[in-house]
Amino acid sequence: MRVFVRIAILPSAIWCLAAPNAACAHAIIVSSSPAAGATVSGDAVAISLHFNSRIDRARSKLTLLAPNGAAQALTPAADAPADELKAEAARLSSGAWHLRWQVLSVDGHITRGDIPFIVH
Ligand SMILES: [Cu+2]
C-alpha cells in the first residue's frame, strides 16, 4: 500500500522545517477507506480519510477521477470528526478510480495525495 503525499511549500514552511515540533502539524493521512490499491464491490463507496491532525474542512477538497478521466468534486460531510474527511460516492462504474485529496491543516500547510482504487 503506497500513498503519495506532497507537501506544498508555503513561506511558513521554512519556519516549519526550522522548528519541527508542535508548530509543524501539517496533515498526514493515517488511514483511508478505500485503502490505496483496494478493490471495492458495488457501485456505492463510503469514503473516509483519517488524518494525524485537525483539518480545515471548508478549505479541503475531495475529487473523484473516473476510469475515463472525468473529475467529480465530492462534498465532505459536515458531521465528520475534526481530523476526518468523509463523503459518499454513488453510481461508480467498474474500473480504476482515483480519489484526490487536498487538505489545509490548522498550521496553514496544504498536503495532497492520490488514492487509487478499483471498483469491481
Ligand atoms: Cu506543517
Side-chain angles (χ1 to χ4, degrees), residues 12-13 21 23 31 40 43 46-48 50 64 83 85 94 98 113-114 116 119:
S12 57
N21 53 28
S31 62
V40 298
D43 68 347
I47 290 166
S48 171
H50 186 194
L64 258 186
D83 59 354
L85 281 182
S94 310
H98 287 258
D114 183 294
V119 174

Side-chain angles (χ1 to χ4, degrees), residues 49 57 76-87:
L49 305 183
R57 184 171 298 115
D79 58 352
D83 59 354
E84 285 186 38
L85 281 182
K86 287 177 182 271

Side-chain angles (χ1 to χ4, degrees), residues 5-114:
V5 175
R6 290 184 309 242
I7 299 169
I9 302 299
L10 301 176
S12 57
I14 292 162
W15 170 252
C16 194
L17 291 171
N21 53 28
C24 176
H26 39 257
I28 304 296
I29 199 160
V30 174
S31 62
S32 70
S33 180
T39 298
V40 298
S41 300
D43 68 347
V45 177
I47 290 166
S48 171
L49 305 183
H50 186 194
F51 295 89
N52 66 333
S53 64
R54 290 193 298 133
I55 56 171
D56 182 339
R57 184 171 298 115
R59 294 184 179 79
S60 298
K61 290 183 207 163
L62 285 175
T63 307
L64 258 186
L65 296 175
N68 67 5
Q72 170 193 353
L74 297 176
T75 304
D79 58 352
D83 59 354
E84 285 186 38
L85 281 182
K86 287 177 182 271
E88 295 286 334
R91 296 184 296 280
L92 302 186
S93 55
S94 310
W97 289 75
H98 287 258
L99 176 65
R100 286 232 167 113
W101 56 269
Q102 173 177 313
V103 302
L104 178 68
S105 62
V106 289
D107 74 350
H109 295 154
I110 293 168
T111 48
R112 346 181 135 79
D114 183 294

